[in-house]
Structures are given as C-alpha cells and as structure tokens.
C-alpha cells in the first residue's frame, strides 16, 4: 500500500525526516554543486577523511586552527610530504570549512588576525625550526624566493639562526 504524500515517504531526505545530513554527503554535494571534477572531489575527500581520523574521529565543527595546524605539521614533519602535497591538504580543509561548515578558517581562532596561509606558513616554519630543521630545507618547503625571508622565522626560537642545525650537524 502506497503512502500518499506523507512527510515520511522519503526517509533518506534530510529535510523531510528531520535528520541532519552526514558530513561526507554534504561535502560531496558541495563539490557537485560547484562543478568540481570527480578527481578533485575524491582527493579532497581523502584529505578531509585523514584530517578527521588524525584527530580520532572528531567532527570538523569541533576543531579549529590548532587542529588544522597539527595535522599539516604532522604531514610535513612525520610523513615528510612535500609542500605541494601539504598545500593540497590545506586546500581541502579550507574548502571543507568554507563551503560545508560555513566558517572561514581565519575566523575560527579567537582574535586571529593573521591571514590563513601566512598563519600556516608561520606555524609550519616554527614547528620545523623547533624540530631542528635547517633554514635551507624550510626555505624550499615554504617556496620563498629569498632565504632571508625564511630567516625571519628564527626569531621565534629566541636563539637566532645559528641555533638551527643543518643536515651535517645531525650525524
């Protein structure tokens, strides 16, 4: 027997059933409504999934800049991904926050006034310096035109650029 137009006729429809759509569905809908390629959708979904699992299946709405920064730093320091891979992960997370959660990453932190990419470059460089990476490596990862731009980050250690070890110093 058919149900004639009741609100429960299509329980999968979130607007009629009262259930919030799940994150993967919302993410895919955001890609498709913006006509992103399927490959971009797959790649960004991969990075979002890794971000969520890195933080022990915490929902992105419960996370902010510190969690994003921790994930990107982990990719660079522990997994040793290159800068373009890290940028791809960042782009996926920026898409997630802008188009799915409706929040700008720069607005997530309290009093954050540093533009998003500058914030992550600064944090990324700081973590690499604290881990003992040399200036040339950080310079290459950040893609600065001049190494003097990268040297600016050494002030965060309050030790100057001479405190940062090179590859030879590690042996």
């Amino acid at each position: 027997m058919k149900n004639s137009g009741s609100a429960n006729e299509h329980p999968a429809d979130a607007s009629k059933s009262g259930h919030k759509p799940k994150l993967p569905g919302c993410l895919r809908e955001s890609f498709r409504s913006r006509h992103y390629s399927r490959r971009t959708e797959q790649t960004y979904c991969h990075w979002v999934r890794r971000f969520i699992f890195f933080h022990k299946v915490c929902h992105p709405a419960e996370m902010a800049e510190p969690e994003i920064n921790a994930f990107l730093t982990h990719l660079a320091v522990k997994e040793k991904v290159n800068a373009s891979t890290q940028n791809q992960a960042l782009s996926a997370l920026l898409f997630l926050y802008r188009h799915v959660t409706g929040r700008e990453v720069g607005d997530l932190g309290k009093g954050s006034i540093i533009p998003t990419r500058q914030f992550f470059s600064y944090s990324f460089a700081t973590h690499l310096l604290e881990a003992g990476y040399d200036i040339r490596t950080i310079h290459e990862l950040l893609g600065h035109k001049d190494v003097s731009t990268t040297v600016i980050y050494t002030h965060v250690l309050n030790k100057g650029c001479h405190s940062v070890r090179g590859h030879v110093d590690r042996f």
Side-chain angles (χ1 to χ4, degrees), residues 10-145:
H10 302 286
D13 186 341
S15 63
K16 292 180 182 177
S17 68
H19 292 97
K20 280 180 83 173
K22 299 216 180 229
L23 184 65
C26 290
L27 188 58
R28 282 185 166 68
E29 180 58 34
S30 290
F31 287 117
R32 292 172 186 175
S33 69
R34 289 171 177 79
H35 307 287
Y36 277 67
S37 75
R38 293 291 175 143
R39 184 65 185 131
T40 300
E41 177 184 325
Q42 291 169 345
T43 302
Y44 278 27
C45 286
H46 164 80
W47 286 116
V48 168
R49 202 169 26 259
R50 285 199 51 192
F51 172 66
I52 291 168
F53 280 103
F54 176 78
H55 289 292
K56 299 175 177 46
V57 195
C58 188
H59 194 281
E62 300 170 10
M63 297 186 277
E65 282 117 337
E67 290 83 9
I68 295 170
N69 186 43
F71 177 66
L72 294 174
T73 300
H74 168 79
L75 291 177
V77 175
K78 299 291 184 194
E79 295 190 20
K80 300 187 183 331
V81 302
N82 63 32
S84 65
T85 301
Q86 189 184 29
N87 280 334
Q88 186 180 66
L90 174 59
S91 294
L93 297 177
L94 290 175
F95 182 93
L96 168 70
Y97 278 95
R98 285 181 184 143
H99 301 297
V100 179
T101 69
R103 294 165 41 192
E104 283 291 329
V105 173
D107 297 332
L108 294 175
K110 295 176 182 167
S112 177
I113 56 171
I114 301 173
T116 300
R117 291 202 184 266
Q118 184 182 351
F119 169 81
F120 287 116
S121 293
Y122 179 84
S123 297
F124 177 58
T126 301
H127 285 287
L128 290 176
L129 285 168
E130 289 172 344
Y133 282 78
D134 64 291
I135 292 294
R136 289 278 179 205
T137 300
I138 298 168
H139 164 75
E140 290 174 18
L141 289 172
L142 292 177
H144 291 153
K145 290 180 182 173

